[in-house]
């Protein structure tokens, strides 16, 4: 998944490693359920906003450490000094960011004032660290409403191999931790985070040419990523992205940031796999995106235990009381309706894609990251790089749409331009709800 979420905050805020005192940090409550064959138990958890969206200022006052897409050179002349000088503030979740919760539901709005998009993490029931999920030999289920997400938007729910405490134990200059949403990483090794490993990402920082509020530094932050759900009302995909390392790792621009992880992943997008009427807003689509969808993802192992090697990732849907199996591939030479090593090898061959998934260790390596536990991420974003065409349109645009693997959705190749999406659909939103996790076939049912 091309991850550019940190580019979306149009506030004069950024991320920091110390804690300010201007705004109390109060996490919105959100419940989730753990399930066994005996039933499900609900716990009261919370969500926390990623640190990159927050206001950061000098520790002795309220001067911005980062304004527009540039650093304050006096407060942040270098990485270490920036971490020492800058404090991270609490968030007004609903008023500034359009983030609200109710019971087991989370709503993320595209625009609230000048803010665009958001990314949040599920905290544990103590509200002190991130909730950690060990996915192997388990299933993860949630409900989602994407009816108000047009072309160019991505309501993404996924897991990454972040540290449970946001990096506090590893990095002494990180004073904010999970309470303030620090420690993000993913398989794209993003370099647009303002702080990485407790240090300011100041060295080599270059403002982005088409976004007045973002840029990139010389450091990136990498980790394995399991994209459970990347979707709008037109198209959806689920994708594992393994990395050479199993946990969060800092990378350097021009070297490890491009080679440490499988950035392309092995995706299952029904439209891309040849079934163009499985998912969408038409009444004839098997999964109709005008209604709420229950999404079930199962993580099977070779020996049927939680310690075995990850061998298959299955997808099931439930809608209007009906259990619906994932669509079957219609691509010549590629069989099945789930992600396995054989499916990935056949898909990469059929589409003419480089099989970095295999070279990075494939499902086995992905499973090793899962052994340590992963953090749940929920977000809404638009794409300043390639307008989300990789999800919902023909991509790459340099190839014919009739070439295998190019057509990924029915959106036009001229769609998804962030400035247009933000002006035309300011009220766009996604709703995630009813999160359940546990033994196979215990988190969902047909009514």
């Amino acid at each position: 998944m091309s991850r550019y979420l940190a580019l979306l905050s149009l506030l004069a805020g950024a991320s920091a490693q110390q804690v300010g005192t201007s705004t109390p940090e109060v996490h919105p409550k959100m419940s989730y359920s753990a399930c066994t064959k005996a039933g499900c138990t609900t716990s009261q958890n919370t969500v926390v906003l990623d640190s990159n969206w927050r206001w950061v200022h000098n520790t002795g006052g309220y001067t911005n450490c980062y304004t527009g897409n540039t650093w304050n050179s006096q407060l942040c002349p270098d990485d270490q000094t920036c971490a020492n000088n800058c404090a991270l503030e609490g968030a007004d979740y609903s008023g500034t960011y359009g983030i609200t919760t109710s019971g087991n539901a989370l709503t993320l709005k595209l625009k609230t004032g000048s803010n665009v998009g958001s990314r949040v993490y599920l905290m544990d029931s103590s509200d002190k660290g991130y909730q950690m999920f060990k996915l192997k030999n388990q299933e993860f289920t949630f409900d989602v409403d994407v009816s108000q997400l047009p072309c160019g938007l991505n309501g993404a729910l996924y897991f990454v191999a972040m540290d449970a405490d946001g990096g506090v134990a590893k990095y002494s200059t990180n004073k904010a931790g999970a309470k303030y949403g620090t420690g993000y990483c993913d398989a794209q090794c993003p370099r647009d985070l303002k702080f990485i490993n407790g240090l300011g990402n100041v060295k080599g920082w270059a403002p982005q040419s088409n976004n007045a509020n973002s840029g990139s530094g010389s450091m990136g932050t990498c980790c394995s990523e399991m994209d459970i759900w990347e979707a709008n009302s037109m198209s959806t995909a689920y994708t594992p992205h393994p990395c050479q390392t199993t946990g969060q790792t800092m990378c350097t621009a021009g070297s490890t940031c491009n080679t440490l992880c499988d950035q392309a992943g092995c995706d299952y997008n029904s439209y891309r796999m040849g079934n163009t009427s499985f998912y969408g807003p038409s009444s004839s689509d098997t999964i109709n995106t005008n209604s709420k969808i229950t999404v079930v993802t199962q993580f099977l192992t070779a020996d049927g235990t939680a310690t075995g090697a990850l061998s298959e990732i299955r997808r099931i849907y439930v809608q209007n009381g009906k259990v619906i199996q994932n669509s079957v591939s219609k691509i010549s030479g590629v069989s099945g309706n789930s992600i396995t090593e054989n499916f990935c090898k056949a898909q990469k061959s059929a589409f003419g894609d480089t099989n970095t998934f295999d070279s990075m260790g494939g499902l086995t390596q992905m499973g090793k990251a899962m052994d340590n536990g992963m953090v749940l991420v929920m977000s809404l974003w638009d794409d300043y790089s390639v307008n989300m065409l990789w999800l919902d349109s023909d991509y790459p645009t340099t190839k014919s749409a009739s070439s295998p693997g190019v057509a990924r959705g029915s959106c036009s190749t001229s769609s998804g331009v962030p400035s247009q999406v933000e002006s035309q659909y300011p009220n766009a939103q996604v709703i995630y709800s009813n999160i359940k996790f546990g033994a196979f076939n215990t988190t969902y049912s047909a009514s």
Side-chain angles (χ1 to χ4, degrees):
M1 168 184 175
S2 296
R3 202 76 59 222
Y4 298 96
L5 291 170
L7 309 182
L8 303 180
S9 178
L10 299 184
L11 300 176
S15 64
Q17 299 309 121
Q18 299 194 58
V19 177
T21 58
S22 178
T23 303
E25 176 65 9
V26 180
H27 298 150
K29 294 180 179 181
M30 183 182 184
S31 62
Y32 104 102
S33 298
C35 301
T36 66
K37 292 182 179 179
C40 296
T41 302
T42 299
S43 65
Q44 182 62 70
N45 292 49
T46 60
V47 295
V48 61
L49 176 69
D50 182 277
S51 60
N52 224 48
W53 268 257
R54 297 169 182 270
W55 176 35
V56 58
H57 56 78
N58 65 313
T59 55
Y62 299 101
T63 300
N64 289 343
C65 290
Y66 181 91
T67 302
N69 55 14
T70 59
W71 291 100
N72 181 311
S73 60
Q74 292 185 327
L75 293 172
C76 293
D78 57 67
D79 298 351
Q80 180 67 61
T81 304
C82 194
N84 295 338
N85 286 342
C86 298
L88 183 67
E89 280 295 347
D92 177 356
Y93 281 79
S94 60
T96 300
Y97 301 101
I99 299 169
T100 57
T101 60
S102 177
N104 63 23
L106 167 71
T107 300
L108 303 179
K109 294 185 178 297
L110 177 63
K111 287 199 69 177
T112 303
S114 59
N115 181 72
V116 179
S118 59
R119 178 169 64 212
V120 303
Y121 312 114
L122 186 68
M123 297 288 284
D124 63 25
S125 57
S126 74
D127 199 35
K128 295 180 180 179
Y130 301 131
Q131 179 71 45
M132 303 301 287
F133 291 85
K134 294 190 175 183
L135 299 170
K136 292 195 313 186
N137 201 41
Q138 301 284 287
E139 67 184 19
F140 179 88
T141 297
F142 68 102
D143 294 344
V144 64
D145 181 346
V146 295
S147 61
Q148 298 184 56
L149 296 185
C151 298
L153 290 180
N154 188 342
L157 183 150
Y158 56 107
F159 289 97
V160 292
M162 294 167 61
D163 292 323
D165 65 358
V168 170
K170 289 182 179 178
Y171 310 111
S172 61
T173 52
N174 181 348
K175 305 300 183 183
K179 182 178 179 178
Y180 288 82
T182 68
Y184 183 70
C185 56
D186 65 40
Q188 304 305 313
C189 299
R191 293 165 46 214
D192 52 7
L193 272 70
K194 310 301 187 300
F195 283 77
I196 297 174
N197 289 8
L199 297 174
N201 196 7
V202 175
K203 183 180 178 180
W205 186 267
Q208 188 175 1
S209 60
N210 66 340
N211 188 323
N213 299 277
S214 187
S216 60
S218 61
M219 296 188 297
T221 178
C222 309
C223 65
S224 295
E225 171 185 350
M226 178 63 231
D227 292 328
I228 298 287
W229 182 255
E230 296 187 277
N232 51 40
S233 61
M234 308 303 292
S235 193
T236 187
Y238 74 101
T239 313
H241 298 263
C243 295
Q244 294 178 24
T245 58
T246 57
Q248 185 272 334
T249 305
M250 188 183 76
C251 67
T252 303
S255 56
T256 53
C257 287
N258 295 324
T259 60
L260 197 59
C261 297
D262 173 26
Q263 297 183 347
C266 176
D267 66 296
Y268 203 107
N269 174 329
S270 293
Y271 197 103
R272 193 181 188 212
M273 299 313 299
N275 191 329
T276 60
S277 61
F278 183 74
Y279 177 96
S282 172
S283 60
S284 61
D285 289 322
T286 304
I287 304 296
N288 187 291
T289 56
N290 292 315
S291 300
K292 184 168 65 176
I293 307 163
T294 298
V295 183
V296 184
T297 310
Q298 298 178 328
F299 300 90
L300 286 75
T301 60
D303 63 2
T305 72
T307 58
L310 182 66
S311 60
E312 182 179 5
I313 307 174
R314 291 180 184 170
R315 168 55 49 82
I316 300 169
Y317 298 94
V318 183
Q319 190 170 49
N320 298 323
K322 181 180 179 182
V323 177
I324 303 168
Q325 300 299 320
N326 194 31
S327 63
V328 175
S329 169
K330 294 185 177 182
I331 301 297
S332 177
V334 187
S335 60
N337 69 341
S338 64
I339 293 177
T340 64
E341 296 290 358
N342 287 338
F343 167 84
C344 294
K345 289 177 182 178
Q347 184 207 61
K348 298 293 184 180
S349 177
F351 292 167
D353 295 337
T354 301
N355 195 356
T356 52
F357 181 76
D358 183 67
S359 64
M360 290 290 173
L363 289 177
T364 299
Q365 184 68 6
M366 188 75 234
K368 291 179 181 178
M370 292 178 177
D371 288 336
N372 298 324
M374 303 185 84
V375 176
L376 176 62
V377 188
M378 293 168 281
S379 65
L380 175 59
W381 60 291
D382 54 4
D383 183 358
Y384 277 83
S385 179
V386 295
N387 302 338
M388 214 70 72
L389 302 181
W390 57 270
L391 174 65
D392 59 22
S393 185
D394 300 332
Y395 188 79
T397 56
T398 54
K399 291 186 177 182
S400 169
S402 61
S403 298
V406 172
R408 300 150 187 260
S410 60
C411 296
S412 167
T413 54
S414 63
S415 67
V417 178
S419 60
Q420 297 176 6
V421 173
E422 292 163 17
S423 63
Q424 294 174 15
Y425 305 100
N427 296 320
Q429 66 177 32
V430 62
I431 304 173
Y432 305 109
S433 62
N434 201 26
I435 293 172
K436 294 182 178 181
F437 176 71
F440 292 143
N441 304 316
T442 65
T443 67
Y444 72 97
S445 62
S447 62

